[in-house]
Amino acid sequence: MVARAAGHTGPMARDPLPLAAATERPRPLLRAAGLAAVTVIGAWMGLLVVGSVHASVGPMDTRMALRPSFTGGTEINVSPLGALELRSHHAPLRLDVDVDRLDPVRSAALVDHPERLSGLQEEVAGDVVRSTRDLAVRSCAAVVFGATALGLAVYRRPRRALAAGGLALGLLAASGGAAYVTWNPDSVLEPRYTGLLSSAPSVVGNARSIVSDFDVYQRELARLVTNVTQLYEATSTLPAYRPDPTTMRVLHVSDIHLNPAAWHIVQSLVRQYKIDVIIDTGDTMDHGTAAENGFLEPVSDLGAPYVWVRGNHDSATTQRHLSGRKGVHVVDGGRTVTVEGLRIAGIGDPQFTPDRSAAVAGDAAEHRAGRELAAAIRDRKAEGGPVDIAVAHNPLAARETDGTVPLALTGHVHHRRTEVLPGGTRLMTEGSTGGSGLRAVDDAEPDTVQASVLYLDRGTRRLQAWDEIDLGGLGLAKAEVSRHLPAENRPGATPAPTAP
């Protein structure tokens, strides 16, 4: 009996072992996930605590740091003026550069010895290379230290802690490799400004002038260095950088929707950018009634000629009222107007949607209107007067002009987008310069106020560059300006072909 009991208990004692092994099979995955989490969190903490360097870049004292990011890029913070964002690379790391101050001794040396400006570019480049090298070394140490320290705190095992540190170093190296492979040196040509620096395009001037006349730009930069203590208060009134003589500036607005604040914004932009022509692609009104016509009083005093095309919220009554106002050019039915040497053709929206008694004609009506506009543009070209810009309210209509004109402007959809159509026409759709009007208060956050400044060569009337301006909606104090260049206008690019 004893022997049988002993023989029986032997297998019973061994049975739990396979069960325990079965329950432990998923644990390697859990351990790996835990190690990865400890590595990432520890590396992040290391970068935050000790992963930055203080460096002198030209006359500036800066602090440089790497930060985790889903989009990558570079952000240059110039407190209290704002920030400059560059799409410099795509990697899970962002380079943050904080400009702490301008060193008065080094700045004064530049002012007293202007000849040193000729070597400033090489000096800054060398400073950036040295600072980046120091930052890379310090960041490696920071992620290894952070991941190893957190690994010791969590696992209390040196081997696991060292594994976390090694994995953190590998992740940082891989991220650095991704940044190197995707590095875009041309990102400085299309920065995004925030805060008071949103006025930088008017201070600096258009992109072609900067590329072709860098010596003048350097002298202007030196002047700004000497007046940096006054820049905060004087940013909005600083004289604009002298533009290229061939540059024409066009302000594109749309979908104001009875927002009276829009007129003040337009007037400010006209003064700041020295606008030659304003183009409004419609929906200036909300219901198109005669009672709303008083809202249009400021259009004659905006400081530049005003070209307007009817939107689906603008009635025939609105159009007749605007046609009689000083400085206003209404385009409809394919009619072409010449304003400041710029030939602009347009067609009003065929639908007036506030009229509930009329059935909505839909997209087919928009396409028909676009084809009518394209035919008028082709007829004008055959007569020896090619059109420079086509305007319509609905993008569906403007698409029909592809291949007949270099540039087409639209609105309607309340968000901005730009694309080059198959026939070579660039279609630019503006957001709502009125922040969607009163309907904006229905949303949790106010809609962004949007407008664009287009830089055109006065001789060829080709698009050189454009600035996208975004202002915080009702009650928000925020401003952003993004500089964009057509591919053919980048330094070293092949010149654009003849206009359609």
Side-chain angles (χ1 to χ4, degrees), residues 110 114-125 218:
L110 286 175
E115 68 277 4
R116 295 184 182 180
L117 284 173
S118 59
L120 182 60
Q121 186 175 6
E122 291 78 10
E123 178 186 347
V124 169
Q218 288 187 125

Side-chain angles (χ1 to χ4, degrees), residues 34-91:
L35 180 61
V38 168
T39 299
V40 172
I41 296 173
W44 186 17
M45 292 173 60
L47 286 175
L48 290 176
V49 176
V50 295
S52 63
V53 296
H54 292 273
S56 297
V57 179
M60 298 176 293
D61 291 333
T62 68
R63 184 175 66 88
M64 304 174 66
L66 293 177
R67 295 290 180 256
S69 170
F70 290 110
T71 58
T74 299
E75 181 170 316
I76 303 171
N77 297 299
V78 188
S79 180
L81 302 179
L84 182 68
E85 298 179 11
L86 307 175
R87 296 187 182 93
S88 57
H89 62 275
H90 298 283

Side-chain angles (χ1 to χ4, degrees), residues 2-19:
V2 174
R4 184 181 301 174
H8 182 70
T9 56
M12 288 296 292
R14 290 192 297 269
D15 285 344
L17 294 177
L19 293 175

Side-chain angles (χ1 to χ4, degrees), residues 35 39 147-148 157-169:
L35 180 61
T39 299
T148 303
R157 295 158 122 190
R159 177 179 293 183
R160 300 297 297 275
L162 291 174
L167 182 57
L169 183 61

Side-chain angles (χ1 to χ4, degrees), residues 48 54 72 94 160 172 193 222 235 243 263 280 342 411 460 464:
L48 290 176
H54 292 273
R94 184 184 75 241
R160 300 297 297 275
L172 181 63
Y193 305 93
T235 299
W263 299 130
D280 185 344
L342 198 62
T460 65
Q464 296 180 355

